[in-house]
Amino acid sequence: MVIIMRPDANLPEVEAVVASVNALGFRAHVVPGLARTAVAVIGNPGPLAPGRFSRIPGVARTIPITTPYRLVARETREAPTRVTLGAGPVFGPGNLVVLAGPCAVEEAEQFLATAAAVAQAGATVLRGGIFKPRTSPYSFQGLGLAALPILARAREATGLAVVTEVVEPASVEPVAEVVDMLQIGARNMQNAPLLRAVARTGKPILLKRGPAATIEEFLLAAEYLVVEGNPNVVLCERGVRGFDPATRYLFDVAAIPLLHRLTHLPVIADPSHATGHHALVPSVTRAAVAAGADGVLVEVHSDPGAARSDGQQSLSHPEFDALMRSLPPICAAVGTSLTAPMAHA
Ligand code: PEP
Ligand code: MN
């Protein structure tokens, strides 16, 4: 159940609601909103009688939540959540945040060159994996913590916000000290200890959909983060396992508007991992923008043919630039715009 407070409810009234929830042996999670505060009841085994709360001063109404996720549900918070990276880009309605960079950080000068290229083309978030959760143990696993100074340098040189993936709780803290956003990869979407460790940093989180995760499982993974006290969660549709290896995964474009209906969290798309092929990435990126994505994550490499991971799906610098130039009309059609003015516009 979610208890919706009146717009003019004061703090003691909200606290009284929290106390009455706690008195029943349940947890209360206060969800602030622009127009009103909501109090989500957590831990109740079954439906609660609305009469318990509706007479408390300041309470407007109660809503039964029928989904197993609560804090991320649209009913709990009517205003879309905006997730801000430091002083930089904001994920939320009206903005299209472009996250770009190589699959993996391979070498400093090359990474800096790609960082400069994607910034010039209009991206506002730089990606680059230092821990690569590869399918094969024989594939390049990333440079690890030793590459953190490279991420810091690129951030300093370009002013881009930086996102990178963490794969184990032990490295979450040192990575969180350097980057603006922590990524939880598709393979770790249901790794509860990792989800909790990342949430506790308070840093914005990019949560990728597991390759075989239902939408409900995806939202429950996000619930792990928010219930831990971190509301700064961005969801990423990156394709699910299909039957046909012609594309790497099956890009679920309907997930974007569906998630926007079910949750207040921002939703972005990753056409690179979804398609697995550079020739398909521009069209699918445009489809994601047209479907209302709050951002797109695109792998870009200075020399895709020589990349140590995911070269086949990476765009070259000129290909990325061309893609970026094609986005403004689509953004305009769906009422969004690129977060930073494009240098060449
Ligand atoms: C990545 O972003 O480099 C990555 C490994 O993606 P995913 O977790 O979606 O496979
Ligand atoms: Mn990759």
Side-chain angles (χ1 to χ4, degrees):
M1 170 186 284
V2 173
I3 303 159
I4 308 293
M5 303 303 294
R6 292 160 46 107
D8 59 355
N10 57 31
L11 190 58
E13 287 171 339
V14 175
E15 284 169 355
V17 169
V18 169
S20 71
V21 172
N22 291 339
L24 291 170
F26 308 136
R27 276 173 69 192
H29 194 106
V30 178
V31 184
L34 285 179
R36 45 70 166 173
T37 297
V39 180
V41 183
I42 295 166
N44 49 310
L48 292 170
R52 283 185 181 283
F53 305 104
S54 55
R55 288 171 201 275
I56 302 177
V59 171
R61 62 203 157 92
T62 60
I63 307 177
I65 300 282
T66 50
T67 53
Y69 48 87
R70 297 177 187 191
L71 302 179
V72 305
R74 260 277 176 206
E75 289 96 328
T76 303
R77 192 186 141 93
E78 62 191 14
T81 287
R82 288 182 180 271
V83 176
T84 305
L85 303 194
V90 180
F91 293 86
N95 287 340
L96 180 77
V97 180
V98 178
L99 310 85
C103 180
V105 178
E106 300 173 8
E107 186 274 317
E109 296 313 317
Q110 181 195 57
F111 188 63
L112 286 164
T114 297
V118 300
Q120 172 72 19
T124 52
V125 184
L126 176 65
R127 62 150 289 144
I130 62 174
F131 298 106
K132 294 310 305 173
R134 306 301 297 282
T135 303
S136 163
Y138 307 119
S139 303
F140 175 54
Q141 304 286 311
L143 300 178
L145 293 177
L148 276 178
I150 304 178
L151 291 179
R153 246 180 93 191
R155 186 166 175 268
E156 179 73 22
T158 58
L160 294 171
V162 170
V163 58
T164 201
E165 179 171 354
V166 282
V167 296
E168 57 178 354
S171 46
V172 166
E173 273 303 323
V175 174
E177 278 170 26
V178 173
V179 302
D180 303 281
M181 184 178 218
L182 295 166
Q183 177 173 323
I184 294 171
R187 292 162 183 78
N188 276 313
M189 187 203 81
Q190 288 181 308
N191 182 337
L194 183 66
L195 294 170
R196 290 196 191 97
V198 168
R200 284 178 194 149
T201 66
K203 285 269 172 184
I205 303 165
L206 180 58
L207 177 66
K208 291 190 139 196
R209 181 180 180 183
T214 64
I215 292 290
E216 188 170 289
E217 288 163 346
F218 190 18
L219 290 170
L220 281 167
E223 187 86 2
Y224 265 90
L225 302 170
V226 180
V227 79
E228 208 58 47
N230 189 337
N232 303 306
V233 179
V234 175
L235 303 174
C236 180
E237 161 58 37
R238 46 75 76 207
V240 290
R241 181 76 77 188
F243 64 89
D244 186 348
T247 57
R248 188 175 180 186
Y249 292 97
L250 198 58
F251 181 61
D252 184 0
V253 71
I256 299 165
L258 177 59
L259 285 166
H260 274 144
R261 289 170 66 94
L262 298 176
T263 178
H264 50 84
L265 298 175
V267 181
I268 72 162
D270 171 355
S272 302
H273 292 88
T275 62
H277 198 282
H278 62 91
L280 307 177
V281 168
S283 308
V284 176
T285 303
R286 289 188 283 267
V289 175
D294 299 302
V296 286
L297 184 155
V298 180
E299 286 189 335
V300 180
H301 196 280
S302 58
D303 182 4
R308 296 185 74 181
S309 66
D310 286 350
Q312 72 291 343
Q313 68 195 32
S314 299
L315 300 187
S316 65
H317 295 178
E319 285 167 346
F320 179 66
D321 193 61
L323 168 60
M324 290 297 284
R325 287 170 189 268
S326 75
L327 296 183
I330 303 166
C331 289
V334 294
T336 188
S337 65
L338 289 160
T339 46
M342 291 169 65
H344 45 63

PDB file of all heavy atoms in Angstrom, residues 103 127 132 248 273 299 309-310 313, ligand 2:
ATOM      1  N   CYS A 103      33.822  -0.108 -25.273  1.00  0.00           N
ATOM      2  CA  CYS A 103      33.378  -1.160 -24.364  1.00  0.00           C
ATOM      3  C   CYS A 103      34.312  -1.172 -23.158  1.00  0.00           C
ATOM      4  O   CYS A 103      33.866  -1.113 -22.020  1.00  0.00           O
ATOM      5  CB  CYS A 103      33.402  -2.503 -25.092  1.00  0.00           C
ATOM      6  SG  CYS A 103      32.869  -3.874 -24.055  1.00  0.00           S
ATOM      7  N   ARG A 127      31.569   6.423 -21.287  1.00  0.00           N
ATOM      8  CA  ARG A 127      31.590   5.084 -20.721  1.00  0.00           C
ATOM      9  C   ARG A 127      32.926   4.417 -21.048  1.00  0.00           C
ATOM     10  O   ARG A 127      33.605   4.787 -22.017  1.00  0.00           O
ATOM     11  CB  ARG A 127      30.448   4.221 -21.244  1.00  0.00           C
ATOM     12  CG  ARG A 127      30.453   3.971 -22.740  1.00  0.00           C
ATOM     13  CD  ARG A 127      29.839   2.628 -23.106  1.00  0.00           C
ATOM     14  NE  ARG A 127      30.678   1.518 -22.723  1.00  0.00           N
ATOM     15  CZ  ARG A 127      30.235   0.353 -22.269  1.00  0.00           C
ATOM     16  NH1 ARG A 127      28.957   0.152 -22.129  1.00  0.00           N
ATOM     17  NH2 ARG A 127      31.078  -0.610 -21.957  1.00  0.00           N
ATOM     18  N   LYS A 132      35.517  -6.202 -17.113  1.00  0.00           N
ATOM     19  CA  LYS A 132      34.669  -6.706 -18.190  1.00  0.00           C
ATOM     20  C   LYS A 132      34.140  -8.098 -17.848  1.00  0.00           C
ATOM     21  O   LYS A 132      34.925  -9.056 -17.770  1.00  0.00           O
ATOM     22  CB  LYS A 132      35.454  -6.775 -19.503  1.00  0.00           C
ATOM     23  CG  LYS A 132      35.885  -5.438 -20.084  1.00  0.00           C
ATOM     24  CD  LYS A 132      34.774  -4.406 -20.175  1.00  0.00           C
ATOM     25  CE  LYS A 132      33.550  -4.847 -20.933  1.00  0.00           C
ATOM     26  NZ  LYS A 132      32.463  -3.837 -20.836  1.00  0.00           N
ATOM     27  N   ARG A 248      22.660 -10.082 -31.753  1.00  0.00           N
ATOM     28  CA  ARG A 248      23.242 -10.613 -30.511  1.00  0.00           C
ATOM     29  C   ARG A 248      22.149 -10.886 -29.472  1.00  0.00           C
ATOM     30  O   ARG A 248      22.139 -11.906 -28.798  1.00  0.00           O
ATOM     31  CB  ARG A 248      24.270  -9.601 -29.986  1.00  0.00           C
ATOM     32  CG  ARG A 248      25.069 -10.112 -28.823  1.00  0.00           C
ATOM     33  CD  ARG A 248      26.161  -9.118 -28.426  1.00  0.00           C
ATOM     34  NE  ARG A 248      26.930  -9.622 -27.304  1.00  0.00           N
ATOM     35  CZ  ARG A 248      27.859  -8.927 -26.665  1.00  0.00           C
ATOM     36  NH1 ARG A 248      28.147  -7.692 -27.053  1.00  0.00           N
ATOM     37  NH2 ARG A 248      28.501  -9.446 -25.647  1.00  0.00           N
ATOM     38  N   HIS A 273      24.871  -3.352 -27.405  1.00  0.00           N
ATOM     39  CA  HIS A 273      24.825  -4.744 -26.938  1.00  0.00           C
ATOM     40  C   HIS A 273      23.580  -5.457 -27.460  1.00  0.00           C
ATOM     41  O   HIS A 273      23.592  -6.661 -27.672  1.00  0.00           O
ATOM     42  CB  HIS A 273      24.921  -4.800 -25.413  1.00  0.00           C
ATOM     43  CG  HIS A 273      26.261  -4.366 -24.917  1.00  0.00           C
ATOM     44  ND1 HIS A 273      26.556  -3.056 -24.651  1.00  0.00           N
ATOM     45  CD2 HIS A 273      27.418  -5.051 -24.716  1.00  0.00           C
ATOM     46  CE1 HIS A 273      27.826  -2.963 -24.286  1.00  0.00           C
ATOM     47  NE2 HIS A 273      28.372  -4.145 -24.316  1.00  0.00           N
ATOM     48  N   GLU A 299      28.422   2.220 -27.925  1.00  0.00           N
ATOM     49  CA  GLU A 299      29.852   1.919 -27.868  1.00  0.00           C
ATOM     50  C   GLU A 299      30.572   2.530 -29.074  1.00  0.00           C
ATOM     51  O   GLU A 299      30.139   2.360 -30.230  1.00  0.00           O
ATOM     52  CB  GLU A 299      30.077   0.403 -27.802  1.00  0.00           C
ATOM     53  CG  GLU A 299      29.725  -0.117 -26.414  1.00  0.00           C
ATOM     54  CD  GLU A 299      30.118  -1.567 -26.164  1.00  0.00           C
ATOM     55  OE1 GLU A 299      30.237  -2.349 -27.127  1.00  0.00           O
ATOM     56  OE2 GLU A 299      30.285  -1.920 -24.978  1.00  0.00           O
ATOM     57  N   SER A 309      37.465  -5.674 -27.005  1.00  0.00           N
ATOM     58  CA  SER A 309      36.146  -6.270 -26.740  1.00  0.00           C
ATOM     59  C   SER A 309      35.085  -5.491 -27.502  1.00  0.00           C
ATOM     60  O   SER A 309      35.164  -4.266 -27.632  1.00  0.00           O
ATOM     61  CB  SER A 309      35.833  -6.302 -25.239  1.00  0.00           C
ATOM     62  OG  SER A 309      35.687  -5.017 -24.727  1.00  0.00           O
ATOM     63  N   ASP A 310      34.105  -6.210 -28.017  1.00  0.00           N
ATOM     64  CA  ASP A 310      32.918  -5.644 -28.668  1.00  0.00           C
ATOM     65  C   ASP A 310      33.207  -4.700 -29.840  1.00  0.00           C
ATOM     66  O   ASP A 310      32.408  -3.781 -30.119  1.00  0.00           O
ATOM     67  CB  ASP A 310      32.026  -4.949 -27.620  1.00  0.00           C
ATOM     68  CG  ASP A 310      31.279  -5.964 -26.755  1.00  0.00           C
ATOM     69  OD1 ASP A 310      31.306  -7.174 -27.079  1.00  0.00           O
ATOM     70  OD2 ASP A 310      30.675  -5.552 -25.746  1.00  0.00           O
ATOM     71  N   GLN A 313      30.475  -4.313 -32.648  1.00  0.00           N
ATOM     72  CA  GLN A 313      29.273  -3.501 -32.413  1.00  0.00           C
ATOM     73  C   GLN A 313      29.613  -2.040 -32.136  1.00  0.00           C
ATOM     74  O   GLN A 313      28.728  -1.233 -31.865  1.00  0.00           O
ATOM     75  CB  GLN A 313      28.451  -4.067 -31.249  1.00  0.00           C
ATOM     76  CG  GLN A 313      29.138  -3.945 -29.897  1.00  0.00           C
ATOM     77  CD  GLN A 313      28.504  -4.824 -28.832  1.00  0.00           C
ATOM     78  OE1 GLN A 313      27.996  -5.904 -29.127  1.00  0.00           O
ATOM     79  NE2 GLN A 313      28.489  -4.382 -27.602  1.00  0.00           N
TER      80      GLN A 313
HETATM   81 MN    MN B   2      30.548  -4.014 -24.467  1.00  0.00          MN
END
